[in-house]
Amino acid sequence: MHRPWWTFIIVSFLAALIGGPSSTSARIYLLDQKVEINGSFEEKWNFKFDTKDWEKGRGEHSYGGRMSDGGHVENPAMLKTHLHLEALYHAYQQGGTVLDFYTLVEWFYDISQDINPAWRRGMSSYDRNKYQTPHGLEMLRELYVNYLHGPWTLRLGKQMVVWGETNLQRTADVVNPLDTRSHMMGVDDWEDFKKGLWMFRGFYQTSFKNDLTLETIIVPYDVQAMDLPPEGSMYNTTYTGGFTSRMWRRWKHDEVNEHGLHDAQGGFRIRGFNWDWDWTILWYNG
């Protein structure tokens, strides 16, 4: 890495340390508070030290004893600008009936690939384009209508389901596939990795004292595969001359794409609270 980048990093770190680390967010209300807009802005840096040759794409474990196109992993391994923007529109509210529209948009850009030519050469232009920033509907994480009436809550649209309660393991979060291309393992929440699916989701809140809640999910046609880190990225430095990336693109191309009702997925969950225990019973066919 060139000396100016080290200077920039050290100065930025000292400024953040003295000023006190904090997240930047904002909330705006419009149309007599019928519209709520909330945003957050993050900077995520990742540096790798004491890396071995095989971790850089070099050595006997790499393709042909060398890396792909003469590229290899260099610091900074990630310099990503991350923007979350969510909006909630209260369309109707009368008594116990509520109708809302919700959307979540996400955008990010990782500039590390632009800083180091060797980093950039280690990844194909197709993979790098997908790795550095989202495109099209990928930026639309959620978009659904939420209807609340008495004990019933109904949601229809693109959604991310949170069934697990832990941050370290995805024990029960089995509904949404993951996008592991450029998020930071162990740092980002699992919600950041999830790919939204078009679905119907319904809740029924019983009147029992144990706060018993019944939930069902139906994904009628949206079948997607998990996105793995591309060859040459921070989390996949084992080079195969592009063979692995081509195989993964082939795998995604061969995924279910008929999008008919016979490809439907779905399940249910029962959740309650008894004797200071928060328990869940769930079944999902995906």
Side-chain angles (χ1 to χ4, degrees):
M1 182 187 299
H2 301 296
R3 186 179 299 275
W5 281 105
W6 279 113
T7 304
F8 167 76
I9 292 169
I10 294 174
V11 171
S12 300
F13 175 78
L14 292 177
L17 184 64
I18 295 173
S22 61
S23 60
T24 301
S25 61
R27 184 179 296 272
I28 300 174
Y29 296 93
L30 302 172
L31 302 177
D32 294 331
Q33 296 191 348
K34 282 192 172 183
V35 177
E36 298 181 35
I37 301 176
N38 182 35
S40 63
F41 178 83
E42 299 173 305
E43 287 289 337
K44 299 179 181 180
W45 297 4
N46 190 303
F47 294 86
K48 304 181 73 173
F49 298 97
D50 195 26
T51 54
K52 310 302 180 184
D53 283 343
W54 67 268
E55 294 178 289
K56 298 179 180 179
R58 288 176 168 172
E60 60 181 2
H61 297 289
S62 58
Y63 181 77
R66 59 180 177 82
M67 55 212 135
S68 177
D69 295 331
H72 59 90
V73 177
E74 285 190 355
N75 283 323
M78 175 185 287
L79 284 180
K80 186 169 70 170
T81 300
H82 209 138
L83 175 65
H84 293 267
L85 185 64
E86 57 180 341
L88 179 64
Y89 173 54
H90 303 288
Y92 178 82
Q93 183 172 359
Q94 185 69 35
T97 302
V98 176
L99 180 64
D100 294 331
F101 292 89
Y102 174 81
T103 183
L104 172 63
V105 178
E106 177 189 72
W107 178 86
F108 61 82
Y109 189 84
D110 186 357
I111 199 175
S112 64
Q113 296 280 324
D114 299 326
I115 295 175
N116 296 314
W119 224 149
R120 186 167 59 252
R121 288 194 301 268
M123 190 183 303
S124 69
S125 58
Y126 177 89
D127 289 336
R128 185 171 61 251
N129 189 35
K130 292 285 187 180
Y131 177 79
Q132 286 189 285
T133 188
H135 299 273
L137 290 179
E138 290 180 338
M139 293 183 286
L140 185 63
R141 302 291 302 283
E142 290 190 285
L143 177 64
Y144 62 82
V145 54
N146 186 70
Y147 176 76
L148 175 63
H149 181 73
W152 293 94
T153 300
L154 307 178
R155 294 179 183 175
L156 182 63
K158 192 173 187 179
Q159 304 173 58
M160 292 185 293
V161 178
V162 179
W163 273 0
E165 305 299 331
T166 63
N167 293 327
L168 299 179
Q169 293 184 349
R170 295 183 70 246
T171 304
D173 276 330
V174 296
V175 179
N176 298 88
L178 299 182
D179 183 352
T180 63
R181 289 173 298 177
S182 57
H183 292 292
M184 295 180 67
M185 301 290 185
V187 176
D188 293 324
D189 294 331
W190 284 119
E191 286 75 18
D192 294 329
F193 291 87
K194 292 180 180 178
K195 301 168 64 175
L197 295 177
W198 296 94
M199 68 176 70
F200 166 79
R201 193 176 181 189
F203 303 83
Y204 181 78
Q205 181 69 55
T206 68
S207 58
F208 298 133
K209 292 183 179 180
N210 64 346
D211 197 27
L212 189 67
T213 304
L214 309 179
E215 177 184 355
T216 185
I217 294 176
I218 300 175
V219 185
Y221 70 92
D222 196 358
V223 179
Q224 297 187 43
M226 180 173 69
D227 287 321
L228 299 174
E231 178 180 346
S233 66
M234 179 175 61
Y235 295 116
N236 180 16
T237 57
T238 302
Y239 292 95
T240 61
F243 174 78
T244 301
S245 293
R246 288 193 296 270
M247 286 298 296
W248 284 345
R249 289 199 292 270
R250 181 74 249 180
W251 167 46
K252 287 183 64 63
H253 178 78
D254 289 341
E255 70 184 25
V256 178
N257 52 22
E258 296 179 0
H259 299 305
L261 291 178
H262 56 282
D263 298 322
Q265 308 168 82
F268 64 86
R269 181 170 76 148
I270 304 173
R271 182 174 182 176
F273 187 80
N274 296 86
W275 305 294
D276 294 330
W277 284 85
D278 188 355
W279 56 269
T280 293
I281 298 175
L282 62 90
W283 174 85
Y284 189 78
N285 181 25

